[in-house]
Structures are given as structure tokens and as C-alpha cells.
Amino acid sequence: YDRRLVLLGSAIASVVTFILFIPNFYNTLWLVSLAFLMGGTTFTIYPLSTSHTIDHIKPSNMISAISTMLLGYGCGSAIGPLISPIFTKLFGTNGLCYYLLVVGLVLCAYTALDIKRRVKYAFEEHVDFVSLPRTTPTAVPEPKEEEKTSKK
């Protein structure tokens, strides 16, 4: 699948969740359910963006691209809490919801524009996922040279 479509779907789901947060119901089950949905939709945006970036860069540029994305994420994490009180002052208790809604709409617009602007990938360029063990060579050592040659 084109990761941009998944990213757009996640951004749209986030926007819907932010809209549902705006009415002032104070039902605990409703708020917990919305918080669960908000976390599920918003916390997938950075990994999807990272995966999409990795799909488009050369392996030699991977570290610089990922570190740039991490720097941008850090700047957004620092600047966002400075901007959101402005919305709270303007709109009251729902100001944070409006702020998150604006950010989500900007992400939706940018992603939709990117989907329209760029050429779709050829499906032949995709490769199958290769699962690797989560261990170190010390825990699972490579076969010795004798074992390698005897198996041939």
C-alpha cells in the first residue's frame, strides 16, 4: 500500500477524534474512549512518516534524514506547548481541541497535496518484509567456518 494513503487515513481519523472532543460532555467512559482513539490515531503519524521517508531515500542518506525528522519532531514538541495556550485563551477550555484540529487539518491538506503531486510507486519496487531476530551476534553466534563448509 501507499503509505501516504495510510497516513492520510490516520490524520483524518485524528481530526474526527479532535472534533468529537469539542462538545462539553463530561462522561468518563466517553472521554476515556476518545483519549484511546486519539492516542491510536495520532501516535501512528510519526512512524508512518518515518517509514515513508525511508522509502524515498538512498541508504547512504538514511541517518541524516531520520535525524532531521527527529530534530523536527523535537522542535514541534517544544513549540506546540507554547502555541496551544493562545488557542485556550481565545476559545476557552476547548482551545486545545481546536489547536489539535488545526494541526490535524494542516497535516491532512499537506498529505492530500503530496498524494496528488507525486507519482504513485510501482508495486514492483516493493520488497517483502524480512524478519530478523532481536538478538546480538554474541547471543546467537554465527556458524563456524567448519560448519559452513560441511553444509555445502
mmCIF file of all heavy atoms in Angstrom, residues 77-106:
data_model
loop_
_atom_site.group_PDB
_atom_site.id
_atom_site.type_symbol
_atom_site.label_atom_id
_atom_site.label_comp_id
_atom_site.label_asym_id
_atom_site.label_seq_id
_atom_site.Cartn_x
_atom_site.Cartn_y
_atom_site.Cartn_z
ATOM 1 N N SER A 77 7.659 19.451 19.404
ATOM 2 C CA SER A 77 7.307 19.142 20.798
ATOM 3 C C SER A 77 7.603 20.308 21.723
ATOM 4 O O SER A 77 6.980 20.445 22.773
ATOM 5 C CB SER A 77 8.083 17.915 21.269
ATOM 6 O OG SER A 77 7.713 16.789 20.533
ATOM 7 N N ALA A 78 8.549 21.146 21.352
ATOM 8 C CA ALA A 78 8.872 22.321 22.164
ATOM 9 C C ALA A 78 7.985 23.517 21.811
ATOM 10 O O ALA A 78 7.559 24.260 22.694
ATOM 11 C CB ALA A 78 10.341 22.689 21.985
ATOM 12 N N ILE A 79 7.690 23.698 20.540
ATOM 13 C CA ILE A 79 6.926 24.867 20.091
ATOM 14 C C ILE A 79 5.419 24.679 20.311
ATOM 15 O O ILE A 79 4.713 25.624 20.659
ATOM 16 C CB ILE A 79 7.235 25.171 18.615
ATOM 17 C CG1 ILE A 79 8.692 25.618 18.483
ATOM 18 C CG2 ILE A 79 6.303 26.228 18.052
ATOM 19 C CD1 ILE A 79 9.189 25.716 17.069
ATOM 20 N N GLY A 80 4.915 23.452 20.120
ATOM 21 C CA GLY A 80 3.484 23.184 20.268
ATOM 22 C C GLY A 80 2.917 23.628 21.604
ATOM 23 O O GLY A 80 1.896 24.331 21.647
ATOM 24 N N PRO A 81 3.556 23.279 22.735
ATOM 25 C CA PRO A 81 3.032 23.735 24.027
ATOM 26 C C PRO A 81 3.112 25.252 24.232
ATOM 27 O O PRO A 81 2.443 25.798 25.099
ATOM 28 C CB PRO A 81 3.914 23.009 25.043
ATOM 29 C CG PRO A 81 4.395 21.809 24.332
ATOM 30 C CD PRO A 81 4.564 22.232 22.902
ATOM 31 N N LEU A 82 3.922 25.926 23.439
ATOM 32 C CA LEU A 82 3.968 27.387 23.530
ATOM 33 C C LEU A 82 2.844 28.041 22.738
ATOM 34 O O LEU A 82 2.396 29.139 23.075
ATOM 35 C CB LEU A 82 5.323 27.901 23.028
ATOM 36 C CG LEU A 82 6.553 27.444 23.816
ATOM 37 C CD1 LEU A 82 7.827 27.914 23.126
ATOM 38 C CD2 LEU A 82 6.489 27.943 25.243
ATOM 39 N N ILE A 83 2.384 27.372 21.688
ATOM 40 C CA ILE A 83 1.318 27.922 20.844
ATOM 41 C C ILE A 83 -0.073 27.565 21.371
ATOM 42 O O ILE A 83 -1.000 28.375 21.298
ATOM 43 C CB ILE A 83 1.484 27.420 19.390
ATOM 44 C CG1 ILE A 83 2.791 27.942 18.811
ATOM 45 C CG2 ILE A 83 0.310 27.839 18.521
ATOM 46 C CD1 ILE A 83 3.125 27.356 17.464
ATOM 47 N N SER A 84 -0.239 26.378 21.909
ATOM 48 C CA SER A 84 -1.570 25.919 22.316
ATOM 49 C C SER A 84 -2.246 26.796 23.375
ATOM 50 O O SER A 84 -3.471 26.935 23.337
ATOM 51 C CB SER A 84 -1.523 24.458 22.769
ATOM 52 O OG SER A 84 -0.695 24.310 23.891
ATOM 53 N N PRO A 85 -1.517 27.433 24.299
ATOM 54 C CA PRO A 85 -2.223 28.321 25.237
ATOM 55 C C PRO A 85 -2.901 29.519 24.574
ATOM 56 O O PRO A 85 -3.876 30.051 25.104
ATOM 57 C CB PRO A 85 -1.127 28.786 26.192
ATOM 58 C CG PRO A 85 -0.090 27.738 26.128
ATOM 59 C CD PRO A 85 -0.146 27.234 24.721
ATOM 60 N N ILE A 86 -2.408 29.923 23.416
ATOM 61 C CA ILE A 86 -3.048 31.012 22.679
ATOM 62 C C ILE A 86 -4.462 30.589 22.288
ATOM 63 O O ILE A 86 -5.414 31.364 22.429
ATOM 64 C CB ILE A 86 -2.216 31.395 21.434
ATOM 65 C CG1 ILE A 86 -0.848 31.918 21.863
ATOM 66 C CG2 ILE A 86 -2.951 32.400 20.563
ATOM 67 C CD1 ILE A 86 0.137 32.069 20.732
ATOM 68 N N PHE A 87 -4.623 29.353 21.816
ATOM 69 C CA PHE A 87 -5.938 28.838 21.457
ATOM 70 C C PHE A 87 -6.824 28.706 22.693
ATOM 71 O O PHE A 87 -8.019 28.967 22.626
ATOM 72 C CB PHE A 87 -5.797 27.482 20.754
ATOM 73 C CG PHE A 87 -5.413 27.589 19.309
ATOM 74 C CD1 PHE A 87 -4.098 27.820 18.929
ATOM 75 C CD2 PHE A 87 -6.367 27.447 18.321
ATOM 76 C CE1 PHE A 87 -3.741 27.910 17.609
ATOM 77 C CE2 PHE A 87 -6.021 27.544 16.989
ATOM 78 C CZ PHE A 87 -4.704 27.779 16.624
ATOM 79 N N THR A 88 -6.230 28.293 23.809
ATOM 80 C CA THR A 88 -7.007 28.162 25.042
ATOM 81 C C THR A 88 -7.501 29.529 25.516
ATOM 82 O O THR A 88 -8.625 29.655 25.998
ATOM 83 C CB THR A 88 -6.163 27.485 26.134
ATOM 84 O OG1 THR A 88 -5.694 26.232 25.636
ATOM 85 C CG2 THR A 88 -6.952 27.240 27.385
ATOM 86 N N LYS A 89 -6.664 30.539 25.355
ATOM 87 C CA LYS A 89 -7.079 31.894 25.743
ATOM 88 C C LYS A 89 -8.197 32.403 24.828
ATOM 89 O O LYS A 89 -9.140 33.047 25.283
ATOM 90 C CB LYS A 89 -5.882 32.833 25.704
ATOM 91 C CG LYS A 89 -6.199 34.211 26.230
ATOM 92 C CD LYS A 89 -4.944 35.002 26.426
ATOM 93 C CE LYS A 89 -5.296 36.358 26.925
ATOM 94 N NZ LYS A 89 -4.824 36.649 28.240
ATOM 95 N N LEU A 90 -8.106 32.091 23.533
ATOM 96 C CA LEU A 90 -9.116 32.552 22.584
ATOM 97 C C LEU A 90 -10.423 31.768 22.676
ATOM 98 O O LEU A 90 -11.505 32.350 22.570
ATOM 99 C CB LEU A 90 -8.582 32.450 21.155
ATOM 100 C CG LEU A 90 -7.451 33.395 20.768
ATOM 101 C CD1 LEU A 90 -6.923 33.038 19.388
ATOM 102 C CD2 LEU A 90 -7.932 34.830 20.795
ATOM 103 N N PHE A 91 -10.351 30.445 22.867
ATOM 104 C CA PHE A 91 -11.541 29.598 22.773
ATOM 105 C C PHE A 91 -11.947 28.946 24.090
ATOM 106 O O PHE A 91 -12.866 28.134 24.106
ATOM 107 C CB PHE A 91 -11.324 28.508 21.721
ATOM 108 C CG PHE A 91 -11.049 29.045 20.352
ATOM 109 C CD1 PHE A 91 -9.783 28.947 19.793
ATOM 110 C CD2 PHE A 91 -12.050 29.654 19.617
ATOM 111 C CE1 PHE A 91 -9.524 29.436 18.532
ATOM 112 C CE2 PHE A 91 -11.803 30.145 18.356
ATOM 113 C CZ PHE A 91 -10.534 30.041 17.808
ATOM 114 N N GLY A 92 -11.269 29.243 25.157
ATOM 115 C CA GLY A 92 -11.631 28.663 26.453
ATOM 116 C C GLY A 92 -11.144 27.234 26.607
ATOM 117 O O GLY A 92 -10.116 26.849 26.058
ATOM 118 N N THR A 93 -11.936 26.435 27.319
ATOM 119 C CA THR A 93 -11.494 25.072 27.640
ATOM 120 C C THR A 93 -11.345 24.176 26.416
ATOM 121 O O THR A 93 -10.603 23.195 26.459
ATOM 122 C CB THR A 93 -12.476 24.402 28.617
ATOM 123 O OG1 THR A 93 -13.776 24.429 28.050
ATOM 124 C CG2 THR A 93 -12.471 25.101 29.959
ATOM 125 N N ASN A 94 -12.020 24.483 25.331
ATOM 126 C CA ASN A 94 -11.891 23.689 24.106
ATOM 127 C C ASN A 94 -10.746 24.155 23.216
ATOM 128 O O ASN A 94 -10.576 23.629 22.116
ATOM 129 C CB ASN A 94 -13.196 23.721 23.316
ATOM 130 C CG ASN A 94 -14.272 22.901 23.966
ATOM 131 O OD1 ASN A 94 -13.976 21.905 24.624
ATOM 132 N ND2 ASN A 94 -15.508 23.308 23.813
ATOM 133 N N GLY A 95 -9.974 25.107 23.659
ATOM 134 C CA GLY A 95 -8.895 25.651 22.842
ATOM 135 C C GLY A 95 -7.879 24.618 22.409
ATOM 136 O O GLY A 95 -7.412 24.639 21.266
ATOM 137 N N LEU A 96 -7.538 23.697 23.298
ATOM 138 C CA LEU A 96 -6.572 22.658 22.929
ATOM 139 C C LEU A 96 -7.131 21.780 21.817
ATOM 140 O O LEU A 96 -6.402 21.409 20.889
ATOM 141 C CB LEU A 96 -6.191 21.816 24.145
ATOM 142 C CG LEU A 96 -5.173 20.711 23.886
ATOM 143 C CD1 LEU A 96 -3.849 21.298 23.408
ATOM 144 C CD2 LEU A 96 -4.963 19.875 25.133
ATOM 145 N N CYS A 97 -8.413 21.472 21.884
ATOM 146 C CA CYS A 97 -9.040 20.668 20.822
ATOM 147 C C CYS A 97 -8.998 21.408 19.486
ATOM 148 O O CYS A 97 -8.720 20.808 18.449
ATOM 149 C CB CYS A 97 -10.479 20.332 21.185
ATOM 150 S SG CYS A 97 -10.630 19.297 22.636
ATOM 151 N N TYR A 98 -9.265 22.705 19.525
ATOM 152 C CA TYR A 98 -9.195 23.500 18.290
ATOM 153 C C TYR A 98 -7.763 23.552 17.749
ATOM 154 O O TYR A 98 -7.546 23.473 16.538
ATOM 155 C CB TYR A 98 -9.717 24.914 18.511
ATOM 156 C CG TYR A 98 -11.208 24.971 18.718
ATOM 157 C CD1 TYR A 98 -11.755 25.549 19.851
ATOM 158 C CD2 TYR A 98 -12.082 24.459 17.765
ATOM 159 C CE1 TYR A 98 -13.125 25.610 20.046
ATOM 160 C CE2 TYR A 98 -13.461 24.515 17.953
ATOM 161 C CZ TYR A 98 -13.971 25.094 19.094
ATOM 162 O OH TYR A 98 -15.317 25.141 19.277
ATOM 163 N N TYR A 99 -6.797 23.679 18.633
ATOM 164 C CA TYR A 99 -5.395 23.697 18.209
ATOM 165 C C TYR A 99 -5.025 22.376 17.533
ATOM 166 O O TYR A 99 -4.444 22.365 16.444
ATOM 167 C CB TYR A 99 -4.489 23.960 19.414
ATOM 168 C CG TYR A 99 -3.033 23.745 19.125
ATOM 169 C CD1 TYR A 99 -2.335 24.614 18.302
ATOM 170 C CD2 TYR A 99 -2.351 22.653 19.644
ATOM 171 C CE1 TYR A 99 -0.997 24.413 18.020
ATOM 172 C CE2 TYR A 99 -1.016 22.447 19.375
ATOM 173 C CZ TYR A 99 -0.344 23.322 18.559
ATOM 174 O OH TYR A 99 0.980 23.110 18.275
ATOM 175 N N LEU A 100 -5.361 21.263 18.185
ATOM 176 C CA LEU A 100 -5.058 19.960 17.603
ATOM 177 C C LEU A 100 -5.810 19.755 16.295
ATOM 178 O O LEU A 100 -5.284 19.143 15.354
ATOM 179 C CB LEU A 100 -5.398 18.852 18.601
ATOM 180 C CG LEU A 100 -4.545 18.819 19.861
ATOM 181 C CD1 LEU A 100 -5.103 17.801 20.856
ATOM 182 C CD2 LEU A 100 -3.099 18.525 19.544
ATOM 183 N N LEU A 101 -7.010 20.286 16.207
ATOM 184 C CA LEU A 101 -7.798 20.206 14.984
ATOM 185 C C LEU A 101 -7.114 20.956 13.845
ATOM 186 O O LEU A 101 -7.017 20.439 12.725
ATOM 187 C CB LEU A 101 -9.198 20.760 15.237
ATOM 188 C CG LEU A 101 -10.189 20.724 14.090
ATOM 189 C CD1 LEU A 101 -10.481 19.290 13.674
ATOM 190 C CD2 LEU A 101 -11.470 21.421 14.494
ATOM 191 N N VAL A 102 -6.616 22.140 14.116
ATOM 192 C CA VAL A 102 -5.912 22.923 13.081
ATOM 193 C C VAL A 102 -4.661 22.185 12.616
ATOM 194 O O VAL A 102 -4.395 22.062 11.414
ATOM 195 C CB VAL A 102 -5.566 24.337 13.608
ATOM 196 C CG1 VAL A 102 -4.597 25.043 12.688
ATOM 197 C CG2 VAL A 102 -6.832 25.154 13.781
ATOM 198 N N VAL A 103 -3.880 21.659 13.555
ATOM 199 C CA VAL A 103 -2.665 20.925 13.195
ATOM 200 C C VAL A 103 -3.027 19.690 12.370
ATOM 201 O O VAL A 103 -2.376 19.389 11.359
ATOM 202 C CB VAL A 103 -1.864 20.545 14.462
ATOM 203 C CG1 VAL A 103 -0.733 19.599 14.129
ATOM 204 C CG2 VAL A 103 -1.330 21.792 15.143
ATOM 205 N N GLY A 104 -4.080 18.972 12.762
ATOM 206 C CA GLY A 104 -4.517 17.798 12.011
ATOM 207 C C GLY A 104 -4.995 18.146 10.608
ATOM 208 O O GLY A 104 -4.715 17.423 9.650
ATOM 209 N N LEU A 105 -5.718 19.251 10.480
ATOM 210 C CA LEU A 105 -6.188 19.675 9.156
ATOM 211 C C LEU A 105 -5.028 20.081 8.247
ATOM 212 O O LEU A 105 -5.048 19.800 7.046
ATOM 213 C CB LEU A 105 -7.197 20.814 9.289
ATOM 214 C CG LEU A 105 -8.562 20.416 9.846
ATOM 215 C CD1 LEU A 105 -9.399 21.658 10.133
ATOM 216 C CD2 LEU A 105 -9.281 19.475 8.900
ATOM 217 N N VAL A 106 -4.026 20.729 8.826
ATOM 218 C CA VAL A 106 -2.835 21.090 8.040
ATOM 219 C C VAL A 106 -2.135 19.819 7.554
ATOM 220 O O VAL A 106 -1.723 19.727 6.389
ATOM 221 C CB VAL A 106 -1.879 21.983 8.861
ATOM 222 C CG1 VAL A 106 -0.533 22.120 8.184
ATOM 223 C CG2 VAL A 106 -2.512 23.348 9.084
#
